[in-house]
Amino acid sequence: MIHGIGTDVCDVRRIRVSLERHGERFARKILSDGELAVWQARSKRWPERGLRFLATRFSAKEAFSKAVGLGLRMPMTWRLCEIANLPSGKPVIVLHGGLKEWFEKQGLTAHVTVTDETDYAASFVVVEKKEN
């Protein structure tokens, strides 16, 4: 059964301005440790890919927070929600700490997709409640 659906469209230019203004501190606020390592590697080699990576993660976390119905309030935090990729490239949501505990206690599972195109990144999340 569907518990919630969330979507988000993020202006990559807005992320660029925040990154220019706050530097890596901005990325550290948004990204988990695993995501931060990927962002740093991509940014070093291809700055635009790093920027788009950050924008898609920002967008996916916003969409997830909407789908679970919490918005950005506890136990939902930027760093406890990680958007990782399977070896196939498929994006998946990996939760940590109190958010993971809360999510599992609710009996929820999540599906995510992300995309980016020039000036925008977009994400769509479906959260399901496990049937008993």
Side-chain angles (χ1 to χ4, degrees):
M1 174 169 83
I2 293 179
H3 173 81
I5 298 171
T7 189
D8 187 75
V9 177
C10 175
D11 190 330
V12 175
R13 296 164 295 191
R14 182 175 148 228
I15 299 299
R16 183 188 316 275
V17 168
S18 293
L19 195 55
E20 288 170 353
R21 182 176 298 141
H22 303 289
E24 191 168 303
R25 189 173 57 126
F26 175 70
R28 287 184 181 280
K29 177 181 176 184
I30 304 301
L31 303 175
S32 69
D33 292 339
E35 292 167 321
L36 187 65
V38 172
W39 173 76
Q40 288 169 329
R42 286 188 182 182
S43 295
K44 185 175 182 178
R45 188 154 182 203
W46 306 286
E48 276 301 308
R49 277 191 73 204
L51 176 65
R52 292 185 192 305
F53 178 86
L54 182 57
T56 58
R57 273 40 192 183
F58 184 95
S59 176
K61 293 175 187 199
E62 283 277 342
F64 176 79
S65 73
K66 294 170 186 175
V68 295
L70 292 173
L72 285 170
R73 61 184 167 82
M74 295 303 283
M76 175 62 198
T77 68
W78 293 108
R79 292 182 46 80
L80 293 180
C81 179
E82 179 176 352
I83 312 303
N85 292 91
L86 297 177
S88 66
K90 177 184 176 182
V92 293
I93 296 174
V94 179
L95 303 177
H96 304 281
L99 180 57
K100 179 180 180 180
E101 293 168 15
W102 175 85
F103 193 76
E104 289 174 351
K105 185 176 180 183
Q106 303 297 317
L108 302 174
T109 58
H111 311 277
V112 62
T113 187
V114 299
T115 190
D116 63 271
E117 184 63 41
T118 313
D119 293 331
Y120 298 97
S123 301
F124 190 78
V125 174
V126 174
V127 173
E128 295 179 292
K129 184 152 183 96
K130 296 174 188 168
E131 304 266 340
N132 291 337

